[in-house]
Amino acid sequence: MSYVNPQVPHEVNVTKESQVFSLVKLLTAILLIIVAAFIAIYFAFRWSVHFIPFSVESSIAQGIVSRLVENPRGSQYSTARQDLQQLAEHLAQAMNVPDDMPIHIHIDKSSTPNAFATLGGHIIVTQGLINTVHSENALAMVLAHELAHVKNRDPLASLGTGVTVSILLSLLTGGDASQIHVMASNLTQLSFSRRQERLADEDAIAALQGYYGHTFGAEEFFQVMAAEHGVKADQIEFFQTHPGTQKRIETILRSQTGHAPELTSLPDSILKIQRH
């Protein structure tokens, strides 16, 4: 007696879905897993950033600032930088910036009104911004805003976010993982979220209230930018991720009560470099 294999039905092990649809489902699942992993890493890093010693951040910053700043030369700029440094240190005390977070002020010769904080407590102020302000109070508002970023560890958090995005893009595009350090090195002039910017404004307003006893004059820089550039002010680099310029002015004005006192004059060293 011989055995004959039964005929296998054609529908066995054959999906009713098209191969294209199955591939799309697989790729979508992989993408969702990667995105979920990115979100988890993102929030984990932002939560843990305050536990990372500031000395580690400072070591990362070594060599970065020299690529970011074009320092104007001359003794007048050296004196102006020292006076800016002193003002920043006074504001840092008013903001209770920890002693293990040293602040380093730099002047950049760019004519674009701008200021930004980067890793390791380095704050860069441009010649263009210095040319714009007419009181120490206005300058202090900008410095205090950047000091708040340093205190809140926003530069390190933003760097971690940027590196995470770079890794995600590398995974999605099949890029060379060895290039991630190159991507990270390009994330030196860091951008912050609107929430980070709003909190930095609030901290700066509180700092000026504590240091000067009022916040009059703090709105000057923003008013000048709004008057000179109108709605385009929000397209200037300093304002791109910040809350709207008019909203920032309104927030500062709401903090002002009583009669406006005489504003604090700019240091002579700052006035001298304004004339150049």
Side-chain angles (χ1 to χ4, degrees), residues 87-124:
L87 176 59
E89 289 173 356
H90 289 161
L91 291 169
Q93 290 179 354
M95 299 173 74
N96 295 317
V97 175
D99 292 336
D100 62 351
M101 287 187 180
I103 303 300
H104 311 279
I105 302 296
H106 307 269
I107 298 176
D108 183 85
K109 68 179 184 179
S110 171
S111 60
T112 301
N114 194 17
F116 60 92
T118 190
L119 298 168
H122 293 275
I123 296 175
I124 291 85

Side-chain angles (χ1 to χ4, degrees), residues 28-42 164 168 172:
T28 300
I30 293 174
L31 178 61
L32 289 174
I33 292 172
I34 293 176
V35 171
F38 163 73
I39 293 174
I41 294 172
Y42 171 83
T164 303
L168 175 63
L172 292 176

Side-chain angles (χ1 to χ4, degrees), residues 33 78 81 126 145 188:
I33 292 172
S78 177
R81 193 203 65 78
T126 68
H145 175 95
T188 50

Side-chain angles (χ1 to χ4, degrees), residues 7-14:
Q7 187 175 6
V8 178
H10 293 292
E11 64 272 11
V12 174
N13 294 329
V14 177

Side-chain angles (χ1 to χ4, degrees), residues 260-271:
E262 183 177 353
L263 300 182
T264 304
S265 300
L266 288 167
D268 289 340
S269 61
I270 300 297
L271 293 173

Side-chain angles (χ1 to χ4, degrees), residues 14-221:
V14 177
T15 179
K16 295 181 180 180
E17 298 176 348
S18 68
Q19 292 182 344
V20 174
F21 184 70
S22 297
L23 178 61
V24 169
K25 284 177 60 178
L26 177 61
L27 292 177
T28 300
I30 293 174
L31 178 61
L32 289 174
I33 292 172
I34 293 176
V35 171
F38 163 73
I39 293 174
I41 294 172
Y42 171 83
F43 283 106
F45 191 90
R46 297 194 74 85
W47 173 80
S48 64
V49 68
H50 292 279
F51 299 99
I52 299 174
F54 193 74
S55 59
V56 173
E57 182 178 333
S58 298
S59 65
I60 297 174
Q62 291 180 1
I64 287 178
V65 175
S66 61
R67 298 200 301 269
L68 289 177
V69 182
E70 292 186 64
N71 293 296
R73 295 184 178 181
S75 59
Q76 71 273 25
Y77 280 99
S78 177
T79 303
R81 193 203 65 78
Q82 291 174 9
D83 285 341
L84 282 176
Q85 179 74 36
Q86 186 177 51
L87 176 59
E89 289 173 356
H90 289 161
L91 291 169
Q93 290 179 354
M95 299 173 74
N96 295 317
V97 175
D99 292 336
D100 62 351
M101 287 187 180
I103 303 300
H104 311 279
I105 302 296
H106 307 269
I107 298 176
D108 183 85
K109 68 179 184 179
S110 171
S111 60
T112 301
N114 194 17
F116 60 92
T118 190
L119 298 168
H122 293 275
I123 296 175
I124 291 85
V125 179
T126 68
Q127 178 73 58
L129 188 146
I130 290 173
N131 292 343
T132 303
V133 296
H134 298 92
S135 70
E136 184 184 280
N137 307 76
L139 184 58
M141 176 65 190
V142 177
L143 284 177
H145 175 95
E146 302 306 331
L147 281 165
H149 282 312
V150 174
K151 179 182 177 182
N152 297 334
R153 308 300 298 276
D154 290 337
L156 185 60
S158 294
L159 177 67
T161 301
V163 172
T164 303
V165 171
S166 298
I167 295 173
L168 175 63
L169 292 175
S170 179
L171 291 173
L172 292 176
T173 61
D176 185 356
S178 65
Q179 295 300 312
I180 291 175
H181 73 281
V182 178
M183 301 176 192
S185 67
N186 292 329
L187 296 168
T188 50
Q189 188 169 339
L190 304 162
S191 60
F192 309 120
S193 69
R194 284 186 176 269
R195 179 178 181 276
Q196 289 171 313
E197 298 293 359
R198 177 176 53 78
L199 293 176
D201 272 353
E202 293 174 359
D203 288 346
I205 290 171
L208 264 65
Q209 183 67 51
Y211 184 61
Y212 295 106
H214 63 84
T215 60
F216 288 95
E219 75 282 2
E220 179 201 340
F221 174 62

